[in-house]
Amino acid sequence: MKPYRLVAAGLTAALLGSLATATPATATPTTTASAATRTGNTGCATDPATPKRQFRAMWIASVVNIDWPTKASYTAPDRIAAQKAEYTGWLDLAERLNHNAVVVQVRPTADAFWPSPHEPWSEFLTGVRGQDPGWDPLAYLVAESHKRNLEFHAWFNPYRISMPDGAGADIDKLAPGHPVRENPEWAVAYPVNAAGSRLYYNPGIPEVRQFVQTAMLDAVKRYDLDGVHFDDYFYPYPAAGQDFADDATFEEYGAGFASKADWRRHNIDLLIQEMSQRIKATKPWVKFGVSPFGIWRNASSDPLGSETNGTQSYDANFADTRKWVKEEWIDYIVPQVYWNIGLAVADYAKLVPWWADVVAGTRVQLYIGQADYKIGEPAQPAAWQDPAEMSRHLTFNRDYPQVDGNIHFSAVQVRANKLGATDIYAAEHYSRPALIPTMPHLAARPLMFPVLTGASRQADGVRLRWRQPADGLWPFGQASSYAIYRFDGIDVPGSCGFADAGNLVGTVRADGKGVQSWLDRTAEPGRRYSYYVTALDRLANESQPSPPWFVLR
């Protein structure tokens, strides 16, 4: 057989092999990895300290300039350059800690970090409500995150309009042209005549619910988001002796509900259900997640609740988070389990198993919200004065396979590394890269495996090069990133060699330029290595490994 026929025959065999081991997009597709990967690598011994897939992120909060951008950037000689540099600094930290996503607040108070046709520019960009910052922050945030191969989850607060040290409860202090200035009946001040008073959209008004969804969906339509993320603020946390002033709204829209509380929960249910539907109708691959208060209900209030004795999101925020999981309206949930192991009223070691049981049997993924902000704080219980407390949380999670990752609050606390706790948990749990967990219920097409075309020793490591055959050509999907595996010596591992991250040395975003390259800076001079590369689509479904490339000297 002539050489070109051998090449053609080999490519044909590879194409057929990829199709045989992956399922094209259907209503309920499987992932595109090898059979062993799809079945959880059954029979493979894996190291729990180096999971192949685990969601790892930190919250980057913009409200009152908690994390980004800083107030100091407002007066920098070049504000835009300063804010860009601050953000890339957070990405540097995420990379250093082997995170694979960032969760960034882009609509903290009924405003926008992008040129929105619906709401004003956020005051947290310039210090002035409604002032054009002179650039498109969201476009930059997404692009720079993707350059580092980090998923970008846009964090929106649905109903909060103002903060006490901003406009407070005064509609006239909102930005000119703000929707609430034009529709003051949409807003409720709460608490009333108190230092912490602020404005909220009234969730019981159907027009408001549709408006806030539309305002947030504008970002979904216009930017390459990987996820939409809500936190725990729906109806505001109750203030002593005051009820949220929605009696007239309940009278108008609450017919058929036994209580105002049931009606309020229904309003938030509709927000979640409708937002989920509208996201998927716009871009089916964009994930939708919520990070609620860590307690749904106490067992003393509901036999389905947890063995806790704290505030209940079901009653305080009217957020029936358990229902959202069971109805599968969301793709992931991140309960804020912000308490130490052994705390009597809310024990981490009781809440994580409870949430693991809630998601069991559903397609909803469970990540745990971690309270890095409590580490080393004198006012916190003694457990938080122990540098190893957070690492113990992550170790505890290993006993619950339903836990697919962690998000840390917040970026400034992660960077502060109080008591050296970040160093400890990163070394013990994030020592290797990890892939984003797959979501098999989101449609995907099979991927061809990459073809390595060369490797060369350089002074600073080994430079690999490869191509992606049939990239995006039907019936194959398009590679969004690649995973690089390295084995010592001349090694042809079985599927178990790829079962955890022990041999995963890096990931890189696809550049779409035909020949992709990546530099292994950890390769030691003179050592022999076997390299393999896999392709991943934007949902982290993985191809079979490439044929190996051996580096002999």
Side-chain angles (χ1 to χ4, degrees), residues 27-28 276 280 325-332 359-366 404 438-442:
T28 54
S276 178
K280 293 300 188 284
V325 171
K326 296 302 185 182
E327 295 290 341
E328 298 180 333
W329 292 338
I330 53 180
D331 297 305
Y332 67 86
V359 302
T362 75
R363 66 190 189 191
V364 179
Q365 291 185 352
L366 172 63
D404 280 320
T438 58
M439 291 191 173
H441 65 281
L442 301 181

Side-chain angles (χ1 to χ4, degrees), residues 457-481:
R457 286 274 185 187
Q458 301 178 182
D460 52 355
V462 172
R463 172 71 65 179
L464 298 175
R465 294 175 296 280
W466 64 86
R467 290 182 178 273
Q468 180 62 24
D471 193 25
L473 298 177
W474 194 91
F476 295 101
Q478 186 167 18
S480 291
S481 63

Side-chain angles (χ1 to χ4, degrees), residues 59-69 103-105 155 409-411:
W59 280 289
I60 301 177
S62 62
V63 68
V64 299
N65 305 96
I66 290 174
D67 297 309
W68 182 87
V103 183
V104 185
Q105 194 171 29
W155 169 12
F409 189 84
S410 68

